[in-house]
Amino acid sequence: HEFQLTKDERETVDLFERTSAGVCHITTSTRVEAFNMRATEVPVGSGSGFVWDSKGHVVTNFHVIKDATQAKVTMSDHSVFPAALVGADPEVDIAVLKVQPMEGYNLAPLKVGQSH
């Protein structure tokens, strides 16, 4: 007996296959001075995000980067790039980071739709 996906399940699988390369994971840290006067990076947060455009803009939630001094973005292929904060709006919990991928690396921006 062959297992068949429903139409909704097939559409969900198709959506995942078309978009997963544009979804990323963000990890953040902050510098803390220890008692021995040496600065140490301490994890602050993590969350998901997505590639907005081929210029390296990544959209995430503000609470992911709040209080961070450093951010790293891990792409779906496990490539990791440092990220800089471009802008944020805490009231709507959104932030934009920018990554500088290595030469020849192709970012996979999500196709953004419209809702009415």
Side-chain angles (χ1 to χ4, degrees):
H1 190 279
E2 190 173 313
F3 178 74
Q4 296 289 323
L5 296 176
T6 67
K7 181 179 183 278
D8 285 345
E9 291 169 333
R10 285 192 311 273
E11 289 174 356
T12 300
V13 169
D14 181 54
L15 176 66
F16 175 81
E17 289 174 346
R18 285 184 287 120
T19 60
S20 62
V23 177
C24 50
H25 181 72
I26 293 115
T27 53
T28 60
S29 59
T30 191
R31 292 183 71 77
V32 175
E33 288 209 15
F35 293 109
N36 60 4
M37 305 301 271
R38 294 169 71 178
T40 305
E41 288 290 326
V42 176
V44 175
S46 67
S48 62
F50 65 92
V51 179
W52 178 261
D53 60 24
S54 60
K55 296 176 184 174
H57 293 100
V58 172
V59 178
T60 190
N61 295 104
F62 175 75
H63 70 265
V64 172
I65 58 95
K66 183 183 176 192
D67 301 325
T69 57
Q70 183 179 39
K72 293 180 183 176
V73 175
T74 303
M75 301 298 176
S76 64
D77 66 357
H78 305 285
S79 297
V80 180
F81 304 110
L85 179 63
V86 173
D89 187 343
E91 288 186 27
V92 291
D93 195 31
I94 194 165
V96 177
L97 306 174
K98 185 158 188 197
V99 296
Q100 295 283 346
M102 62 195 125
E103 183 91 18
Y105 187 88
N106 291 320
L107 293 170
L110 289 186
K111 183 177 180 181
V112 179
Q114 295 180 352
S115 62
H116 299 276

